[in-house]
Amino acid sequence: MEQQNTKPITNDQSRNQALFERAKKLIPGGVNSPVRAFKAVGGTPRFVQRAKGAYFWDADGQRYIDYIGSWGPMILGHGHPAVLESVQQAMQEGFSFGAPTEREVELAEEIVRLVPSIEMVRLVSSGTEAAMSALRLARGATGRSKIIKFEGCYHGHADALLVKAGSGLATFGNPTSAGVPPEVVQHTLVIEYNNLLQLEEAFSLHGSSTACLMMEPICGNMNFVRASVPFMKRCRELCTQYGVLLIFDEVMTGFRVALGGAQSVYAKSIPGFKPDMTVLGKVIGGGMPLAAFGGTREVMEQLAPMGPVYQAGTLSGNPVATACGLATLREVQKPGFYEALGERTRSLVSGLTAAATQAGVPFCGDSEGGMFGFFLMPELPQNYAKVMTTDSPAFNRFFHAMLDQGIYYAPALYEAGFVSAAHSAADIEATVAAASRFFAQR
Ligand SMILES: *Cc1c(COP(=O)(O)O)cnc(C)c1O
């Protein structure tokens, strides 16, 4: 381990605070993505100066054990030597050409080899762009307009996907953001995650006019909620029956929960299981702006320039980003990588659970590969409404107590956490010890 934290610095003398004040004058909320602002938990966001392995250091020189990892991409930890080397070499060769490169072919080959449901793939620059494009392609390929999504699943911020549940199943959703006209979401049906009854009803009412069912198979945007195996099985059956494309949004889970993504986890319980399309991001870029969507050849061939569905990008398949992604994917394929990562992540969740139980604090958690979630409640929730019953003031106290001890969890209770291959057993022990101190004092 590198240097430990020095004495905590109070907010009024902090460089973080000064930077936040400067930022707020020019950048809405002081941040370029809302959850970074600490609005849910209160306090001053940490401005990151540098990062290495499992740690980052803020503008005041404080060190944190990082359980966000850029919200998922940094599965190897920060500044992995092999990734740095690949990126540095790619940079020398040029930043962007607007013409095809060999590395794009290599990355496509890797993705298609590792995710059996993907026969063809297109590279883009963000998860939002990938999900938005997959949706357009699903509509173009099926000639249908309606889409079904689940409450609590996040698929980026494309207009048609920023929807909350309507008042009933015959009615469609309402925009969750200002600036999204109701007409844009009138084809988006939102139902409850893990609710078989609603799923059946949605398909019997709208199945034959629905283009796709888009879902996070293990939902990391409501902390950590798995689709149950029977629910997933039924999603697959109904999609097949009605000719609806099952789209797995694996932007978070892809190469994070297992080498073959969440779909490989479900395929263990449901023989032959495959989604029709998959959306990838985060880990495949290793921290660079890179994402992808792919699926069967038949569907992907509908995309321009082969087919009628338009999609394009100036920086798509960027040569530096693809170098970073390829180097990352090479590392995660080393034997035993996910076994070790999964084991370390489980040791964190079981350590936190034991610490809370000992102090009589209601607590539960779950993990898959290098992704985890925990809740200050006795039982794992199955849907968004249940997640939102978490005692949020208690979560905020926990968050700040951990932050003060140099441990950085996601600053919102509905976000998943991430462990990297750089997190050591000592990092996990230090984290559990810090949590124990907090639980004991309550
Ligand atoms: C992060 C995320 C997105 C959006 O990706 P961006 O790169 O932030 O646009 C989409 N879907 C899921 C499941 C995500 O976790």
Side-chain angles (χ1 to χ4, degrees):
M1 289 221 283
E2 295 192 44
Q3 88 189 52
Q4 287 296 331
N5 277 337
T6 47
K7 198 156 97 345
I9 294 170
T10 56
N11 272 349
D12 40 341
Q13 43 181 243
S14 135
R15 273 206 80 217
N16 290 311
Q17 183 68 41
L19 283 169
F20 194 38
E21 296 307 324
R22 256 171 78 196
K24 280 192 289 190
K25 287 187 190 130
L26 301 167
I27 304 170
V31 292
N32 285 310
S33 198
V35 75
R36 297 178 195 169
F38 277 25
K39 207 175 158 191
V41 292
T44 306
R46 303 306 193 255
F47 281 68
V48 180
Q49 200 109 60
R50 68 192 171 90
K52 184 75 192 163
Y55 314 117
F56 70 69
W57 286 262
D58 73 9
D60 289 318
Q62 298 285 308
R63 194 200 77 172
Y64 299 86
I65 302 176
D66 177 15
Y67 288 106
I68 297 193
S70 184
W71 299 93
M74 310 314 297
I75 196 164
L76 306 176
H78 298 280
H80 187 283
V83 178
L84 281 179
E85 198 188 312
S86 289
V87 167
Q88 274 159 356
Q89 189 179 338
M91 270 163 42
Q92 302 298 323
E93 293 164 7
F95 280 34
S96 185
F97 315 117
T101 60
E102 184 171 354
R103 272 197 293 275
E104 293 164 78
V105 187
E106 283 176 359
L107 186 56
E109 283 167 350
E110 286 289 281
I111 292 170
V112 167
R113 191 167 62 75
L114 296 170
V115 185
S117 69
I118 301 182
E119 293 171 359
M120 289 184 107
V121 62
R122 175 150 292 171
L123 303 181
V124 295
S125 302
S126 76
T128 293
E129 194 188 352
M132 178 188 80
S133 306
L135 179 59
R136 183 181 306 138
L137 178 56
R139 283 170 158 167
T142 58
R144 301 173 178 181
S145 300
K146 287 177 188 161
I147 59 176
I148 302 176
K149 79 175 283 292
F150 296 107
E151 190 181 16
C153 287
Y154 177 66
H155 306 296
H157 61 86
D159 283 0
L161 295 165
L162 284 182
V163 193
K164 61 173 177 257
S167 51
L169 272 180
T171 66
F172 280 71
N174 307 308
T176 42
S177 165
V180 178
E183 304 81 65
V184 174
V185 299
Q186 66 181 352
H187 302 294
T188 309
L189 182 63
V190 185
I191 60 176
E192 193 171 77
Y193 203 63
N194 280 322
N195 187 326
L196 270 172
L197 237 68
Q198 286 193 10
L199 184 73
E200 298 285 351
E201 199 180 341
F203 273 85
S204 70
L205 286 172
H206 306 292
S208 46
S209 51
T210 296
C212 64
L213 170 65
M214 190 181 277
M215 70 188 302
E216 283 183 82
I218 298 173
C219 184
N221 287 288
M222 42 177 156
N223 194 328
F224 189 105
V225 181
R226 295 171 190 265
S228 76
V229 169
F231 186 74
M232 185 62 83
K233 196 158 170 272
R234 200 60 192 138
C235 286
R236 180 63 276 180
E237 287 166 359
L238 286 167
C239 282
T240 304
Q241 183 185 335
Y242 285 92
V244 172
L245 296 172
L246 176 60
I247 306 183
F248 262 31
D249 181 347
E250 297 225 44
V251 170
M252 189 182 290
T253 53
F255 303 107
R256 167 53 73 176
V257 301
L259 189 56
Q263 51 197 271
S264 71
V265 176
Y266 283 94
K268 281 192 218 155
S269 312
I270 310 170
F273 179 87
K274 273 182 192 176
D276 299 302
M277 292 176 71
T278 301
V279 184
L280 294 166
K282 296 189 172 120
V283 170
I284 61 161
M288 290 267 182
L290 181 71
F293 62 103
T296 59
R297 187 170 298 281
E298 187 193 354
V299 169
M300 293 303 289
E301 283 181 349
Q302 297 300 309
L303 213 50
M306 288 189 83
V309 179
Y310 191 68
Q311 188 279 332
T314 301
L315 297 177
S316 290
N318 176 271
V320 184
T322 46
C324 189
L326 270 170
T328 301
L329 292 191
R330 248 176 247 130
E331 292 300 314
V332 301
Q333 287 177 66
K334 292 192 170 160
F337 180 88
Y338 286 95
E339 287 77 1
L341 183 65
E343 181 54 39
R344 187 115 313 154
T345 310
R346 278 192 297 277
S347 75
L348 172 67
V349 173
S350 62
L352 292 174
T353 308
T357 307
Q358 204 180 17
V361 175
F363 191 95
C364 62
D366 194 3
S367 70
E368 189 70 46
M371 174 175 161
F372 68 91
F374 60 82
F375 301 90
L376 298 167
M377 54 171 77
E379 264 174 45
L380 290 171
Q382 298 302 311
N383 58 49
Y384 183 71
K386 259 281 155 56
V387 169
M388 287 300 141
T389 64
T390 305
D391 180 350
S392 71
F395 172 82
N396 295 349
R397 285 193 299 277
F398 176 77
F399 170 82
H400 278 292
M402 297 301 276
L403 194 67
D404 289 347
Q405 298 181 78
I407 291 149
Y408 198 99
Y409 283 119
L413 63 84
Y414 47 82
E415 302 286 358
F418 304 98
V419 171
S420 78
H423 285 73
S424 66
D427 293 326
I428 304 293
E429 274 166 37
T431 304
V432 171
S436 299
R437 284 191 288 276
F438 168 74
F439 291 138
Q441 281 168 10
R442 283 170 71 254

